[in-house]
Amino acid sequence: MAKVCIVGCGAMGSVYAGLMASAGHEVHAVTPWKEHVDAINANGLRVSGYSGERRVRLASASVDTAGIGPCDLVIIATKAFDVEAAAQAAAPLLKPDTVVQTIQNGVGSPERVARFIDPGQLAVGVVGGYGASLPEWGHVHHNGLAVTWFGAYAGLPRTALEASAEVWRSSGFDVALHDDVSSMVWKKVIMNVAYSGTAGLTELTIGQIIEHPEAWRIASGCAQEAVDVSRSLGVELGLPDPIAHVRALGGKIPGARPSMLLDLQAGRRCEVDAINGAIVRLGKEQGVPTPVNDVVVALIRAKESERLRP
């Protein structure tokens, strides 16, 4: 069994933690939410939804990495805007053969993590179709486990990548390894771009967005602009119809609410800059028009500023 630390154990990280601990791995959770830490330490971590109902005890849950010690696998599962702080906080968790997996929405996070962690120890992760949420502290619910993909960032040996993937497989995740990391990341990006901003504005579930003609027009427009930007960057998606792919994958988790919506509803900072905002930024750099994402980002920022106002 492996010693695992999940840095950024929010909704998604709690799914990872719960299933890995249930499989017998030594799992340590780090999250800035003290209420979540207290609930886990008092009653264990409850996981409900697609994988069934369970309550598991973690090796530890805390607000920092102090006292955990070196791990076999470190998973950085923070929001994109927190990855640099998380990478620095992970230093005491590393030994020469520790694999660090960084899993964020959008683009640009692995490059920022690699400023603080040896690129030869780093893997890039993409997950999708989970629909994870925290109904209450100490309880995570998820609607699926559709996509769990990993690839080496730069120099991570294949044997180490495989060993880290086996921790996930042994915990019930269906893992695929990819050699083309850019393609892997952008397949998820077009999904994020479609549903995140649209849900954040409309407060609809993914299924409702798909079924509502006007909401789908905005979601598919955002996704198409992301496809256009990816092509200008030379990314080969390998999808005959990327928009159909986005619709089909979203259809597997119709009741899910993207994290951008959940963050806005909770009055927390959201990841618009790393998702829809990244398409706007890269579109400008590449000379690719992104009018739908332009409007979505502007409106999300306005909504976020109101929700964050004291």
Side-chain angles (χ1 to χ4, degrees):
M1 293 291 105
K3 181 178 180 181
V4 182
C5 184
I6 299 168
V7 181
C9 198
M12 294 293 285
S14 293
V15 176
Y16 315 153
L19 297 190
M20 289 179 183
S22 183
H25 296 290
E26 178 186 334
V27 179
H28 301 264
V30 177
T31 173
W33 296 336
K34 189 174 185 302
E35 298 92 339
H36 197 38
V37 168
D38 291 344
I40 292 171
N41 286 332
N43 303 307
L45 174 62
R46 179 186 171 194
V47 182
S48 64
Y50 180 82
S51 64
E53 178 80 33
R54 71 193 76 205
R55 190 179 295 272
V56 296
R57 288 284 177 182
L58 305 186
S60 74
S62 59
V63 295
D64 57 43
T65 58
I68 296 173
C71 297
D72 302 307
L73 175 63
V74 173
I75 302 168
I76 297 178
T78 62
K79 298 292 187 181
F81 46 75
D82 283 332
V83 293
E84 290 173 312
Q88 294 176 75
L93 307 175
L94 306 185
K95 52 184 179 171
D97 62 347
T98 301
V99 174
V100 179
Q101 297 169 338
T102 186
I103 309 173
Q104 280 75 42
N105 290 323
V107 295
S109 292
E111 291 77 10
R112 292 159 62 197
V113 171
R115 297 173 189 169
F116 304 98
I117 290 175
D118 179 359
Q121 292 183 259
L122 187 60
V124 180
V126 168
V127 298
Y130 280 49
S133 61
L134 292 174
E136 59 187 341
W137 299 122
H139 174 202
V140 64
H141 181 87
H142 69 113
N143 296 306
L145 295 172
V147 169
T148 309
W149 298 338
F150 294 101
Y153 176 72
L156 180 70
R158 184 74 179 192
T159 53
L161 182 64
E162 289 278 5
S164 65
E166 187 54 37
V167 175
W168 292 76
R169 292 190 181 111
S170 68
S171 305
F173 298 87
D174 184 11
V175 176
L177 300 182
H178 291 256
D179 294 325
D180 188 341
V181 172
S182 292
S183 177
M184 178 189 79
V185 168
W186 276 90
K187 285 175 185 175
K188 175 65 186 304
V189 168
I190 62 174
M191 174 83 168
N192 284 147
V193 168
Y195 296 116
S196 295
T198 310
L201 291 175
T202 64
E203 304 198 359
L204 298 176
T205 66
I206 287 178
Q208 289 170 332
I209 290 170
I210 291 172
E211 294 303 319
H212 193 290
E214 293 302 311
W216 176 246
R217 183 168 65 89
I218 299 303
S220 59
C222 286
Q224 184 58 58
E225 290 174 2
V227 171
D228 295 342
V229 169
S230 72
R231 286 172 176 162
S232 75
L233 292 169
V235 176
E236 178 51 63
L237 291 174
L239 299 171
D241 187 339
I243 306 306
H245 168 79
V246 166
R247 189 179 181 103
L249 193 56
K252 294 181 179 180
I253 49 170
R257 290 176 168 83
S259 60
M260 193 179 297
L261 168 57
L262 297 176
D263 288 336
L264 288 167
Q265 289 178 326
R268 295 189 296 261
R269 181 182 176 187
C270 71
E271 293 182 293
V272 67
D273 290 335
I275 303 175
N276 301 79
I279 302 308
V280 174
R281 175 176 56 80
L282 292 170
K284 289 178 179 176
E285 292 175 2
Q286 296 295 313
V288 176
T290 58
V292 183
N293 279 287
D294 284 347
V295 173
V296 167
V297 170
L299 292 174
I300 287 289
R301 286 176 177 159
K303 188 171 186 177
E304 182 183 55
S305 68
E306 288 299 311
R307 297 290 174 92
L308 292 177
R309 182 175 294 179

